Amino acid sequence: MTDSTQPPLTAEELAAEGGTALPDKEVISLLDLNADLDLGLDAAAPIDLAVAANANVAAPIEAAVGANVLSVGSDATALASQGAHIDQGITGEAVAHGEQGSTIDQTDAAPAPADGTDTTVPTDGSTTDGTAPTDGTLPTDGTVPTSTDAAGPLDGPLLNVDVNLATDLKLAAPITGAVAANANVAAPIDASVAGNIGSVDSHAASLAQQDVAITQHVDADANATTDQSSDISQ
């Protein structure tokens, strides 16, 4: 028998059927996702850095380039001649002094009352949060506190995910550094390039001549001193 040939239900059959009314659409929850993240981060990183330097840098550069590209019967000549006299001298001091003093207190314990009493619980047995008394007495107005109604089959979400993450991180990294340097750098560069590319009956000549006199001397002290004193309480 197909759906098109099934007879409709009679009034008596409809009356015999039972059902439960669905709640309003806005109160139906298929997915309840509750993620609580409690992250307490105490970070302290005092940094002290001292840098001192004496430096002499010399870099004379001379370059010559000659080329023939697809040129018949041509000449390419490149000549680079360099004469450099470099005298570098350092007379002095490079002193770096880094001094650091840090006091870090990352304790979070609540201080106790000065008189030694505990103020979290009233002394008369009453409660301040609206809950029923713990001594078994009932309210004086005759009412009886009622609990929340029992949950029905359609109350609450179909999937309930509750994630609680509590993380306390305390980080202390006092850093101190001192750098001192004396340096002499000389880099004379002489280059000459000549080339023939696809050139018939051509000549390419390249000459690089370099005459450099370099005198370097350092008459100085490089001192690096660092002092660190840290008092960390976590």
Side-chain angles (χ1 to χ4, degrees):
M1 181 180 293
T2 61
D3 294 340
S4 61
T5 59
Q6 290 180 355
L9 295 177
T10 63
E12 291 78 8
E13 290 175 339
L14 289 176
E17 294 291 334
T20 301
L22 292 175
D24 295 337
K25 181 179 180 181
E26 58 271 12
V27 300
I28 297 178
S29 176
L30 299 180
L31 175 63
D32 184 7
L33 177 61
N34 185 14
D36 295 331
L37 176 62
D38 183 7
L39 177 62
L41 177 62
D42 291 336
I47 298 175
D48 186 10
L49 179 63
V51 178
N54 290 320
N56 283 325
V57 179
I61 299 175
E62 183 175 4
V65 178
N68 285 321
V69 180
L70 299 179
S71 300
V72 178
S74 299
D75 294 328
T77 302
L79 174 63
S81 178
Q82 186 185 57
H85 178 71
I86 300 173
D87 188 0
Q88 291 179 335
I90 296 178
T91 302
E93 292 183 350
V95 179
H97 180 69
E99 183 177 356
Q100 185 185 61
S102 57
T103 300
I104 302 171
D105 187 2
Q106 291 180 335
T107 59
D108 53 2
D115 55 359
T117 59
D118 187 1
T119 59
T120 58
V121 179
T123 57
D124 56 358
S126 62
T127 58
T128 58
D129 57 357
T131 59
T134 58
D135 55 1
T137 60
L138 296 177
T140 56
D141 57 359
T143 61
V144 178
T146 59
S147 61
T148 305
D149 295 337
L154 296 179
D155 294 338
L158 299 182
L159 177 60
N160 190 344
V161 179
D162 190 2
V163 179
N164 292 321
L165 175 61
T167 302
D168 291 331
L169 177 61
K170 294 179 179 179
L171 176 63
I175 300 173
T176 181
V179 178
N182 289 319
N184 280 326
V185 179
I189 299 175
D190 187 11
S192 177
V193 178
N196 285 319
I197 301 175
S199 301
V200 180
D201 194 17
S202 297
H203 300 283
S206 177
L207 176 62
Q209 182 179 357
Q210 188 182 55
D211 184 8
V212 178
I214 300 175
T215 303
Q216 291 180 334
H217 64 278
V218 176
D219 184 10
D221 295 330
N223 299 319
T225 304
T226 176
D227 296 328
Q228 186 183 58
S229 177
S230 298
D231 185 6
I232 301 173
S233 178
Q234 292 181 333

